[in-house]
Each structure stands twice: as C-alpha cells, then as structure tokens.
Amino acid sequence: MKRLTVFFLMILCIVSCIKDGQGGVDLKVGDKVPDFTVTMNDGTTVTGEMLREGVSLIMFFTTGCKDCRQTLPHIQRIYDEFLPKGVRFALISREDGPESVAAYWAENGFDMPYSAQTDRKMYNLFAKDRVPRVFVNHQGVIRFSHSDSPNPTYDLLKSDLESLLNN
C-alpha cells in the first residue's frame, strides 16, 4: 500500500509539471512579450508593457512541481541580487491558487511578489506545456528561455541577466 501511495504521488508531481495539450502558444527567443496584466500578492500590478522596458524575468511555476521547487530558490537569489539593478520580475503561478502559493512562500521564506492564477489564461499567452518556464527579456523581446530540461540554475540566470544589463 505504501508503494502504491508513493507511486501516485510521483505521478501527480509529473502531471503538475507537464499538463500537455491544453492550448496556448510556445514563445521562443526573439518573440515579443505579449500584452497582459496581473495583480501581484502585494497589490502591485505588472503588465507586459512594463516588462517591455529594460530587462525583465518572467517565471511560470506550480508549487507541486519538483522542478519548480528546485528552481524557485535560484529565482529568489536572482531577485535579491538583480532587483536593485533595475531588473523587473513577474512570478506567475499556473493553476495554483493564492492559499497554496502563500503557504509555499512562507514555508520557504520567499519574499518575491507573485501572482497566483487558478487557471491557465496567463500561462497560455506564453506556453503550451511544462513548468518551470523562465523568460528573460530585454526591451520586450525574449532573449533567453528556460524550462525543465535542464532546470535553470542561479549561474545560468545570472549570466543571462548580466549579458543583457551590460549590453
């Protein structure tokens, strides 16, 4: 019985990371950041237009995804280092409500603002499947795109951002 329970929990994690075939587009390097508006948990608003100025990082995640759980601490470290340098951030959940995200943030000591989305409307503007999805943008154009193969690391994201800030 214990093995069966572990097996089902593993399947749930895999499904929460992928969830293929549910619409959306797959933005690639060179594509423009789409128009969107989200409200962050701190009450601020982030728009696609705002992220078309300067350098920005957009991440889509779910708190039940193993790969997202590995990536989010790197994002927190990047946020702490690059927010003072003018990089803008939008962390947006995919089908992960406010209670779940708030609990995960509290459990991990994260202080990055996030937008908890209970559906795929925002996500579908950027991708069809897979989380985490990280888009690093300059002047509204996607310059780097990362998913779970391999998971983006602190060093990789730092290199991406520094190359754009020094441009």
Side-chain angles (χ1 to χ4, degrees), residues 13-20 94 120 128-131:
C13 282
I14 291 169
V15 169
S16 73
C17 291
I18 299 174
K19 285 196 178 179
D20 290 334
R94 182 190 77 179
R120 295 174 71 98
K128 290 181 182 180
D129 58 25
R130 308 196 83 73
V131 284

Side-chain angles (χ1 to χ4, degrees), residues 31-75:
D31 290 341
K32 294 186 181 203
V33 173
D35 290 326
F36 70 91
T37 301
V38 291
T39 301
M40 308 306 279
N41 68 308
D42 64 1
T44 61
T45 299
V46 174
T47 67
E49 182 178 346
M50 291 168 62
L51 300 180
R52 288 193 208 54
E53 301 170 8
V55 177
S56 64
L57 183 147
I58 302 167
M59 179 183 183
F60 290 93
F61 66 91
T62 62
T63 59
C65 169
K66 181 183 112 190
D67 293 324
C68 297
R69 289 174 173 250
Q70 290 175 352
T71 302
L72 282 164
H74 298 301
I75 299 295

Side-chain angles (χ1 to χ4, degrees), residues 112-126:
M112 309 168 284
Y114 60 85
S115 178
Q117 302 290 311
T118 57
D119 58 25
R120 295 174 71 98
K121 182 178 176 185
M122 285 303 310
Y123 177 80
N124 286 343
L125 294 174
F126 289 82

Side-chain angles (χ1 to χ4, degrees), residues 69 101-110:
R69 289 174 173 250
V101 179
Y104 187 75
W105 250 234
E107 177 185 320
N108 289 279
F110 297 154

